[in-house]
Amino acid sequence: MMTTSDLNSIYLDQAEGLTKSTSYLKPAKEEALSFFKKLGLPHKKLDSWKYSRIEKRIPSTLVLNKTAEVNKLAGDLIYPDADLIVLVNGNFSSELSKISSSLSYQYEKESNKAYDDLQIDPSDAFDNLSLLLTEGTHTITLKDNEVLTKPIQVIHLNEGNSESTITSRFHFEAGKFSKATMIEMHLGNGNNTDYGYSTFSLSDGANIEHIKIGMNNSDSTHVGKVSAKLKKDSTFHSFTLCLGGGLVRNHVKTNLVESGAHAEVNGLYALQGEHRSDNYTEIHHNASHTTSGQLFKGILADSSRGIFTGRVFIHRDAQKVDANQLNKNLLLSKEARIDTRPQLEVYADDVKCAHGATIGQLNEEELFYLQARGIPKQEAYEMLMAAFSEDALMKVTNPTTKKWLADFLEDHFEKTRKK
């Protein structure tokens, strides 16, 4: 097996050629290459990747976005009456997509806009590597005061059995007092690595909800990041639902840069087999009078493993901040494992903060109570798991979307029982 050092050498050799681009991203690519040279690939001594050995999962060479043919989507994956954007192995599919004329969406390889909006993190190796592999950005724009009455659904279909690298990068620009819901689904069905990055820029008073769903098989690897920059009185709701994958890394980073901004960073991971979900969140309070809330819950069966690292930063002079963070986990077997690290870093003195974590098992008395009333054991398990999940799902603000997710999760539990 290749070491991290071996992979670094191969990736750097190939990355040099990726900056020779005609895309508007060329200056950003050159900058990303310099960052990647300094950082290299993550290793086990890096605190943010302490529990995930990514070098065992990523391909030994950068083979990009192989084409695949998909003629039909499963009906239960499609959100009713939503604008639908479908990418197959990172490539836009006009046949499967269904976009109304009122939605401002475009794929940009040539643009006059500043690439600063992409919020590239100099300290994140995969953020820079994925940009090097990207030729254009999928951009959605909301005008000032524009309110979308139906969600935008983005489905990433990652197919094929070859060791390939798949990339995509979305940017969402929300004008003043605009409002929308975006549902993003990553479906990995092959032995590939998927880099999925989405950035959000919220102007004053904007209200955006982003829901990310991951359903990947045990051979696939997903490394994804959601970044949001919040201006005055804006609100960003993030919800991450992970239902499987060989290794799924979900990184959510929010920057509250002006007063009145509020961020909700919530999620749920329900895993079985040997699937692994690594959830890493950062909430940066850079301004006074900002607020945030966070609830992540995990259900871990068989030999699955969950990882939660939640970091809340209250930066200097960010006074009158209110932030809370909680991670709760349910272990369904002796082999299941959770590593949880809720963290607060406070550099201001007039703040209100709380954090915590719990790990437990299903209540045997509750299980017995249900069985004593004629409910089969597996169904009783499902009922208790659904009850455990409910307060996480309650964080989703749109009632219709919340119901759709609840049905989606119930179907997942039922399919798991039948395997």
Side-chain angles (χ1 to χ4, degrees):
M1 180 178 292
M2 286 193 178
T3 65
T4 304
S5 179
D6 294 333
L7 284 170
N8 273 329
S9 297
I10 295 171
Y11 277 31
L12 280 172
D13 285 344
Q14 295 181 317
E16 292 279 359
L18 296 172
T19 59
K20 299 174 183 177
S21 169
T22 59
S23 166
Y24 85 100
L25 295 173
K26 182 176 173 61
K29 284 172 171 278
E30 293 170 348
E31 191 173 54
L33 179 61
S34 66
F35 290 140
F36 187 68
K37 284 180 177 178
K38 294 176 184 177
L39 295 168
L41 292 167
H43 49 81
K44 63 181 180 181
K45 293 183 180 179
L46 193 65
D47 185 67
S48 57
W49 285 86
K50 182 176 180 180
Y51 299 109
S52 292
R53 299 292 299 276
I54 191 65
E55 73 275 11
K56 295 182 177 181
R57 303 286 316 185
I58 58 178
S60 57
T61 185
L62 298 176
V63 179
L64 290 179
N65 291 12
K66 287 192 172 181
T67 58
E69 186 174 339
V70 178
N71 298 317
K72 189 177 180 181
L73 283 172
D76 58 350
L77 298 177
I78 301 174
Y79 190 95
D81 194 33
D83 278 302
L84 180 62
I85 300 169
V86 180
L87 274 63
V88 180
N89 286 6
N91 302 304
F92 175 75
S93 171
S94 57
E95 294 82 7
L96 297 177
S97 300
K98 184 180 179 182
I99 306 171
S100 62
S101 58
S102 60
L103 180 67
S104 176
Y105 159 77
Q106 58 183 323
Y107 177 67
E108 298 180 315
K109 293 184 69 174
E110 299 296 333
S111 175
N112 295 321
K113 73 176 183 181
Y115 61 76
D116 291 346
D117 289 338
L118 298 178
Q119 304 173 33
I120 306 301
D121 187 345
S123 64
D124 186 334
F126 283 114
D127 201 345
N128 290 280
L129 178 61
S130 72
L131 181 64
L132 284 166
L133 298 170
T134 301
E135 279 302 301
T137 54
H138 301 268
T139 304
I140 296 171
T141 306
L142 293 187
K143 299 176 183 177
D144 292 351
N145 301 304
E146 183 176 3
V147 177
L148 298 186
T149 57
K150 59 183 181 180
I152 303 163
Q153 184 179 23
V154 179
I155 297 181
H156 303 261
L157 292 175
N158 302 322
E159 301 285 338
N161 295 318
S162 60
E163 288 193 1
S164 59
T165 305
I166 298 166
T167 65
S168 61
R169 191 172 285 267
F170 270 80
H171 179 63
F172 199 112
E173 192 76 34
K176 292 181 179 179
F177 304 103
S178 60
K179 185 175 182 180
T181 296
M182 179 175 174
I183 302 170
E184 201 166 1
M185 302 180 73
H186 290 264
L187 310 175
N189 297 314
N191 181 17
N192 49 50
T193 299
D194 164 34
Y195 298 127
Y197 280 67
S198 298
T199 54
F200 296 80
S201 295
L202 277 66
S203 298
D204 298 357
N207 189 326
I208 301 297
E209 182 164 44
H210 177 256
I211 297 166
K212 178 180 178 180
I213 303 172
M215 296 176 61
N216 301 280
N217 66 12
S218 57
D219 293 325
S220 64
T221 301
H222 172 73
V223 179
K225 187 174 184 179
V226 175
S227 298
K229 184 178 180 181
L230 285 68
K231 291 188 176 180
K232 183 177 176 62
D233 297 328
S234 63
T235 301
F236 183 68
H237 291 268
S238 169
F239 188 84
T240 304
L241 176 62
C242 181
L243 301 179
L247 173 60
V248 177
R249 166 79 169 195
N250 290 311
H251 186 171
V252 182
K253 182 177 181 178
T254 56
N255 277 295
L256 293 78
V257 298
E258 294 182 3
S259 65
H262 176 71
E264 286 284 337
V265 181
N266 306 303
L268 173 68
Y269 41 97
L271 309 175
Q272 59 174 325
E274 296 185 355
H275 291 193
R276 176 179 296 218
S277 176
D278 185 342
N279 302 279
Y280 187 86
T281 69
E282 300 174 69
I283 302 175
H284 292 265
H285 289 266
N286 295 289
S288 297
H289 299 279
T290 52
T291 56
S292 68
Q294 184 171 62
L295 174 64
F296 262 77
K297 304 194 82 170
I299 301 173
L300 305 166
D302 304 324
S303 299
S304 62
R305 183 174 181 181
I307 302 160
F308 174 80
T309 303
R311 307 184 70 186
V312 178
F313 299 86
I314 315 295
H315 292 274
R316 196 173 303 279
D317 298 326
Q319 308 293 349
K320 303 294 183 180
V321 165
D322 190 343
N324 61 81
Q325 178 190 73
L326 183 60
N327 176 227
K328 292 185 174 183
N329 298 279
L330 195 61
L331 302 184
L332 303 182
S333 76
K334 293 180 179 179
E335 291 75 28
R337 178 175 173 179
I338 177 68
D339 295 287
T340 177
R341 299 185 298 168
Q343 301 173 2
L344 292 175
E345 293 190 30
V346 181
Y347 300 99
D349 53 15
D350 188 5
V351 300
K352 181 180 178 182
C353 299
H355 68 155
T358 64
I359 303 172
Q361 298 175 324
L362 283 177
N363 189 309
E364 291 296 330
E365 291 184 1
E366 292 175 352
L367 188 61
F368 175 78
Y369 177 88
L370 294 173
Q371 288 182 270
R373 278 144 184 82
I375 299 174
K377 185 176 182 179
Q378 247 346 94
E379 289 187 27
Y381 265 112
E382 290 172 30
M383 291 175 66
L384 293 177
M385 287 188 291
F388 179 80
S389 308
E390 186 173 2
D391 56 341
L393 290 175
M394 290 295 290
K395 295 294 184 179
V396 177
T397 61
N398 186 305
T400 305
T401 307
K402 189 185 305 179
K403 176 65 166 57
W404 184 75
L405 284 174
D407 293 342
F408 203 80
L409 188 61
E410 182 181 349
D411 185 57
H412 171 74
F413 288 146
E414 185 177 346
K415 288 179 179 176
T416 300
R417 170 167 57 92
K418 291 179 179 179
K419 286 185 177 179

